[in-house]
Amino acid sequence: MQVSIETTSGLERKLTVGVPAEQIESEVGQRLAKAAKTVRLDGFRKGKVPLSVVKQRFGAGIRQEVIGDVINNSFREAIIKEKIQPAGMPSIEPTRNEPGQDLEFVATFEVYPEVELADFSSISVKRPIADISDADFDKMLDMLRQQQAKWKEADRAAAIGDTVTIDYVGTKDGEEFAGGKAEGSDLELGSGQMIPGFEDGIVGMSKGEQKVLSLSFPEDYHAEELKGAAVEFTITVQAVKEKTLPELNEDFFALYGVHEGGEEKFREEVRNNMERELKNALQSKLKNRVMDQLLELHSLELPTALVDSEIQSLKQQMVQQFGGGQQMDLSVFPDDMFRDRAERRVSLGLIMNEVVSKAELKVDQEQVRAKIEEIAATYEQPQEVIDYYYNNQQLLQGLESAVLEDQIVEQILQSATIEQEPMSYEEALKPDVPAETAASDEQ
């Protein structure tokens, strides 16, 4: 087998492989002989079909089958011999494929870029730290009660925080406009769902009362014909409803899976969940900060095949996230919609793989076990959850990848300059604002 390789551009390589005709013909002959022993043809007993007849009937198909197998095997042998790692599937084109002649084909593909790791001591990162205050805990309890709140009619004037059932008709220059009319519509006052002045104008109204509000649409309103337009809304209140929060009792605790231990146990479970959420948020924030700096320190030429594959993966994830069917045509989503995220993920994947290789990192199975037990602790039957993870390879591999990422971050932080950044519980749960976004907001 003869092999030659050339660089066509950037990461693209062209591999030319020649295979002796004898190798092809020998394999074709062996397969024809094997077929002659098993093939059934009218007029011949099984295993008694003359080789010449088998060759005439099946020779072309068998030869094509051999060519395909030889190309695949030769390509694998060639990239091993040349110590090449293709990024994605090759495009293979036979350039000489005639019976009795040497086979020649050209494989075009991209290779992985060489990743030269930067000096991690140049990384300076702020490690976020936060605690859960009593005020944070009380706010969480209130939010849980708000989730289970009930609405009941109130025999009084509407106030901010109430929900009103209203009929309304909007007019512009005395004429109704599209989308400006509704009947029996529920609206929470203070929610900001309607244009400025609409909800405030209902405050103080009672059931059965009608009022005309003179308002203006914002200049940046999405409907061109209503931008900045002066309008009138005739509003009739059908009902005023006030929110009633549940008591902290056994029925309420049971809604969140606490059936024993009363309020003390419920508060303990809420705090444990908050602590887990805070721990994960702080780790995620730190990891993203490290990853951002890794990208700044490394500029890589990315294989198109890897980016395209990642784009397709992101499209599929989006479809699954929003409950789309498996048969949805992913081409309806433009590639550029996902390109930046795909390029980021491919770049980080290449860099982190090099960190793993240079540092000879292995997945810490004790950390994997600890993560699984942490997840299982939120369920009523923890051992069942643990067993489920260890019996599901896909879930287990996903968790192992997450643990390995944490190990990579810690490996990098060993050389980096670290400064602690205290923040509130709420700030810790929010993703960092990208630098370019923050800068544009300040202008």
Side-chain angles (χ1 to χ4, degrees), residues 52-53 65 71 88 129 139 237 240 248 322 340 353 419 426:
S52 59
V53 175
E65 181 183 283
I71 287 177
I129 57 173
K139 188 173 182 179
V237 175
V240 177
L248 292 176
F322 292 101
D340 289 345
N353 283 342
E419 177 186 349
E426 288 189 352

Side-chain angles (χ1 to χ4, degrees), residues 3 5 54 71 123 130 145 242 332 437:
V3 179
I5 186 168
V54 175
I71 287 177
I123 291 180
R145 294 178 70 199
E242 62 184 4
V332 300
T437 303

Side-chain angles (χ1 to χ4, degrees), residues 92-302:
I92 294 179
E93 180 184 358
T95 52
R96 189 169 60 239
N97 180 18
E98 297 295 332
Q101 296 185 17
D102 292 347
L103 170 69
E104 184 180 89
F105 66 89
V106 173
T108 305
F109 52 90
E110 292 176 296
V111 296
Y112 285 86
E114 292 187 12
V115 180
E116 185 174 342
L117 294 178
D119 182 359
F120 294 150
S121 64
S122 62
I123 291 180
S124 178
V125 65
K126 292 183 178 181
R127 183 192 290 272
I129 57 173
D131 292 313
I132 301 170
S133 68
D134 290 341
D136 295 325
F137 185 77
D138 291 341
K139 188 173 182 179
M140 177 61 70
L141 284 183
D142 183 65
M143 186 186 76
L144 295 175
R145 294 178 70 199
Q146 294 284 350
Q147 290 176 355
Q148 304 298 332
K150 305 295 184 183
W151 293 93
K152 68 174 184 179
E153 284 203 32
D155 187 18
R156 59 170 174 78
I160 293 294
D162 289 340
T163 290
V164 290
T165 302
I166 57 174
D167 301 337
Y168 62 86
V169 178
T171 58
K172 175 187 174 186
D173 299 328
E175 300 290 334
E176 292 186 22
F177 55 85
K181 181 177 181 179
E183 294 182 356
S185 176
D186 285 336
L187 173 65
E188 184 176 348
L189 300 182
S191 63
Q193 296 179 49
M194 307 299 282
I195 65 173
F198 190 100
E199 294 171 26
D200 290 340
I202 299 175
V203 172
M205 294 180 67
S206 300
K207 179 178 180 179
E209 187 175 348
Q210 187 176 90
K211 181 190 285 188
V212 177
L213 300 179
S214 296
L215 305 173
S216 295
F217 275 88
E219 294 291 344
D220 60 352
Y221 194 68
H222 61 84
E224 188 67 33
E225 66 277 8
L226 292 175
K227 288 183 177 180
V231 296
E232 288 188 340
F233 281 98
T234 301
I235 300 171
T236 303
V237 175
Q238 301 291 353
V240 177
K241 302 172 186 176
E242 62 184 4
K243 185 184 293 185
T244 303
L245 297 180
E247 298 293 328
L248 292 176
N249 54 29
E250 299 297 334
D251 291 338
F252 177 73
F253 305 149
L255 294 173
Y256 293 96
V258 177
H259 301 284
E260 297 178 356
E263 184 172 344
E264 181 180 352
K265 180 64 175 178
F266 174 72
R267 287 177 174 271
E268 178 186 333
E269 288 296 319
V270 171
R271 184 170 288 277
N272 287 342
N273 286 333
M274 291 177 71
E275 288 174 350
R276 276 191 292 268
E277 186 178 27
L278 178 60
K279 174 186 173 184
N280 292 334
L282 292 173
Q283 178 64 23
S284 177
K285 195 180 288 286
L286 176 64
K287 180 163 67 175
N288 286 333
R289 292 177 177 184
V290 171
M291 297 306 171
D292 287 343
Q293 293 207 34
L294 280 181
L295 289 175
E296 290 178 9
L297 288 173
H298 301 86
S299 179
L300 304 178
E301 182 179 1
L302 303 179

Side-chain angles (χ1 to χ4, degrees), residues 23 33 90 129 135 152 228 262 318 341 363 393 401:
Q23 181 179 337
I129 57 173
K152 68 174 184 179
M318 186 184 74
R341 285 179 61 201
V363 177
Q393 280 302 307
S401 295

